[in-house]
Amino acid sequence: MVNTYVDVGIQSRMNKIICPKDNRTVMLAIDHPYFQGPTSGLRDMSKTIQMLMPYCDCLMTTRGAVRHNIPVEYMGSKPIMLRVSGGNSVLFEELSDEQITVSIKEAVRMDCAGVAVSVFIGSSNQQRTILNLTDMINEAEDYGMPVLAVTAVGKAMARDLRYLAFASRICQDAGARMVKTYYCEEFDKLIKACAPTPVVMAGGKHTSPPEAIEMAFKAVQAGAVGVDMGRNIFQDENPLGMIKAIRAVVHDNKNPQEAMEVYKSCAGEACKLE
Ligand code: 5RP
C-alpha cells in the first residue's frame, strides 16, 4: 500500500542527508573531539573541513566545530548532522555515561539537517542512553528534524551480527529515522532487521585504504545507504584519495579495485592532516 502521508519537514531533511537520486550518502564523521579531545587528523579542523567537505554529502560534527571551524563561505553548502549527545571523555573507562548536550532549538537555529544521539546498548547506562534517544526523537519530530541513532559499542561488546543487529533494531523501534552502526559479517541480515530504516556504516579505527574501501563496498552491497566514516578518511596519508574512493564505491558502484585506482590517482595531491 502506498503511504500517502509524507512528513514534509522530515523528508526534506532526509533528502539533504541521503541523495534521492541513488538513495546513497557519504557522511563525513568529524565529531570525535567531543570525547577524545585533540584528535589526529582533526587538530586543524578548519583545514580538514576545507579539504574534505566538498566531497561529502553531509558533515557529521559538533556544535563547536560548526561555529568555529566551518569557514563562513562554506556555511550552508553541505547539510549538517549535529551530534547532540555527550558528556564524557576518554579519561574515563566507561564512555556510556552520556546525556543530551545540545537542544533541538539550537539544531534548528543552526539549520541542521539532522541530529545524532549515541546509544550504548548492554552498558551500565543503557536505559539512560535509550531515553536520550527517545526524548530527542519526541522533541525533534515536532520540528521535522530526523534523528540518527549511533550504536556506540563499549569495549566489552563484540562487534558481531548478533549484538549490532540487536542494538540497531532497538534504535529503529525507538523511532530513529536513520541508524549508524559498525560493519559485521552477514551485514545484510542487520539491514533486513532494520528495514526500511536507512543504515549507514561507521568506519572504526584507521586501518588501511584497501581494508576500509572493501568494508564500505561490502556494506553498500549488503544494503547500507552509505557510510558515516571518519578516521579511515581524515587519518589516512591521502585523505582526498580516500574520500574520493569511498564516493566511487557508494555513488558510482565501483568495486574495491576500481576504487583503489581512484585513491591512487590522488596520490600526487596527498597531504596528511595533522
Ligand atoms: C563516535 C562516532 C563517530 O562519528 C564514529 O565513530 C564514526 O567515525 P569513525 O569512522 O572514525 O569510526 O559517532 O561515537
Side-chain angles (χ1 to χ4, degrees), residues 27-32 34-36 60-61 83 85 98 116 118 120 148 150-153 159 180 182 201-206 215 228-235:
M27 296 171 69
L28 178 64
I30 52 166
D31 59 329
H32 307 60
Y34 94 94
F35 74 110
Q36 288 189 187
M60 183 207 183
T61 192
R83 168 166 283 285
S85 73
E98 287 202 352
S118 288
F120 295 75
L148 166 71
V150 179
T151 61
V153 181
R159 292 188 188 194
K180 166 173 166 172
Y182 290 93
M201 183 204 78
K205 277 189 188 153
H206 181 234
M215 189 169 67
D228 185 13
M229 201 181 245
R231 289 164 290 178
N232 274 294
I233 295 173
F234 63 72
Q235 291 181 344

Side-chain angles (χ1 to χ4, degrees), residues 152-179:
V153 181
K155 282 184 186 148
M157 306 295 173
R159 292 188 188 194
D160 59 13
L161 175 68
R162 193 163 168 226
Y163 173 74
L164 293 171
F166 176 75
S168 300
R169 179 59 204 230
I170 287 173
C171 294
Q172 187 209 37
D173 274 74
R177 295 284 182 163
M178 277 180 88
V179 172

Side-chain angles (χ1 to χ4, degrees), residues 41-219:
L42 299 180
R43 290 204 168 85
D44 183 349
M45 210 190 253
S46 306
K47 187 174 171 190
T48 305
I49 288 173
Q50 284 184 53
M51 181 192 281
L52 300 175
M53 194 168 175
Y55 303 98
C56 72
D57 298 307
C58 177
L59 199 62
M60 183 207 183
T61 192
T62 57
R63 168 166 55 184
V66 175
R67 278 192 188 156
H68 305 301
N69 300 122
I70 298 185
V72 173
E73 65 274 20
Y74 279 48
M75 282 181 185
S77 67
K78 288 289 157 86
I80 302 293
M81 173 62 71
L82 191 69
R83 168 166 283 285
V84 294
S85 73
N88 213 334
S89 88
V90 285
L91 296 185
F92 280 90
E93 187 70 15
E94 179 56 72
L95 285 176
S96 63
D97 193 8
E98 287 202 352
Q99 300 209 16
I100 294 299
T101 51
V102 182
S103 71
I104 185 65
K105 284 189 183 169
E106 177 82 319
V108 172
R109 197 169 70 87
M110 292 172 79
D111 193 27
C112 294
V115 291
V117 176
S118 288
V119 290
F120 295 75
I121 307 290
S123 76
S124 52
N125 292 297
Q126 168 178 286
Q127 187 187 54
R128 176 188 292 172
T129 60
I130 294 175
L131 294 180
N132 287 343
L133 176 66
T134 50
D135 287 349
M136 183 47 72
I137 291 169
N138 289 339
E139 284 195 59
E141 293 274 324
D142 276 347
Y143 292 85
M145 181 75 73
V147 177
L148 166 71
V150 179
T151 61
V153 181
K155 282 184 186 148
M157 306 295 173
R159 292 188 188 194
D160 59 13
L161 175 68
R162 193 163 168 226
Y163 173 74
L164 293 171
F166 176 75
S168 300
R169 179 59 204 230
I170 287 173
C171 294
Q172 187 209 37
D173 274 74
R177 295 284 182 163
M178 277 180 88
V179 172
K180 166 173 166 172
T181 195
Y182 290 93
Y183 182 73
C184 59
E185 291 302 317
E186 302 184 278
F187 202 61
D188 56 318
K189 291 188 178 159
L190 182 150
I191 303 287
K192 279 198 194 101
C194 280
T197 303
V199 174
V200 280
M201 183 204 78
K205 277 189 188 153
H206 181 234
T207 53
S208 71
E211 282 175 273
I213 288 168
E214 170 105 18
M215 189 169 67
F217 175 75
K218 285 184 182 165

